Amino acid sequence: MRRVARNSGRPASFSAILFFANAPERISASRSCIAFFDSGLYKFPNSGQPATATASLKAAGLAFVMSTTPGHGTCHKPALIACLNYANQSSSKRKVIIYLSDGFSHCPGHDPAQYAKESLNEISQRNTSHAHINTICIGAPGSVDENFMRQLAS
C-alpha cells in the first residue's frame, strides 16, 4: 500500500508532482521531472522526456522550482497525465510519482466532485507503466481533501 502523509504545519501555496525513474534516494542515477499546477501546468523539463540527473540539469531544475510562484486553482489532471507520460516513456523498473497538494479539485469551469472522479478514472487508465503514486497532503487537518489523496495513492 502506498502512503498518504499529512503536513499540518502551514497552508498550501502551490501543488506539485515529482516523477522519479529509479528511487528518489538515488537521484544522482535517476531520471526525473517536476510539474507544478494551479489552473495551468508548468513542467520541467519541457522536452517531454525525463531529465537525467546531471549537474547542469539539477541546477536548471532548482532554478525552475525557485522561480515558480503560486497561482489559483488546482487543475491536477494535466499535471498527473504529464508525469504519467514521463513514467510511461521510462525504461526503469521502478517508477515513483510523488503528489503534493491539499487534495482539492478546484479547477475553473469544472464541478469539483466530478473533476476529481474523472481525474481518478483517467489516471488509473493511463498508468500503464504501473508507476507508484505517493501522496502528501499539505495543509492543516480539516483543510485538506485526504479522501482524494488516499484514492489517488491506492
Side-chain angles (χ1 to χ4, degrees):
M1 177 152 181
R2 293 169 192 96
R3 292 186 205 159
V4 175
R6 194 175 355 173
N7 174 354
S8 60
R10 56 194 161 114
S13 58
F14 62 84
S15 298
I17 304 173
L18 308 156
F19 162 71
F20 297 97
N22 291 328
E25 62 271 12
R26 292 185 49 200
I27 190 81
S28 62
S30 73
R31 295 172 52 84
S32 58
C33 78
I34 304 165
F36 286 111
F37 62 96
D38 47 28
S39 59
L41 170 61
Y42 317 94
K43 59 185 182 175
F44 176 84
N46 253 339
S47 66
Q49 298 288 322
T52 302
T54 63
S56 62
L57 282 174
K58 285 181 188 180
L62 179 60
F64 171 77
V65 169
M66 297 304 291
S67 68
T68 301
T69 58
H72 299 284
T74 48
C75 300
H76 51 254
K77 187 168 34 169
L80 282 162
I81 290 170
C83 286
L84 285 173
N85 287 339
Y86 284 116
N88 292 339
Q89 293 175 45
S90 173
S91 61
S92 175
K93 290 181 183 178
R94 183 170 177 190
K95 300 166 189 182
V96 178
I97 293 174
I98 303 171
Y99 181 85
L100 300 97
S101 176
D102 62 8
F104 289 110
S105 301
H106 296 293
C107 188
H110 298 275
D111 172 71
Q114 187 63 30
Y115 185 75
K117 183 179 177 181
E118 290 172 0
S119 296
L120 290 169
N121 287 334
E122 190 164 349
I123 297 315
S124 178
Q125 291 173 0
R126 289 183 180 241
N127 192 1
T128 58
S129 64
H130 306 288
H132 294 279
I133 300 175
N134 298 309
T135 60
I136 300 172
C137 285
I138 302 173
S143 68
V144 296
D145 186 349
E146 196 169 326
N147 184 50
F148 175 81
M149 299 296 268
R150 286 187 186 281
Q151 290 179 49
L152 181 61
S154 62

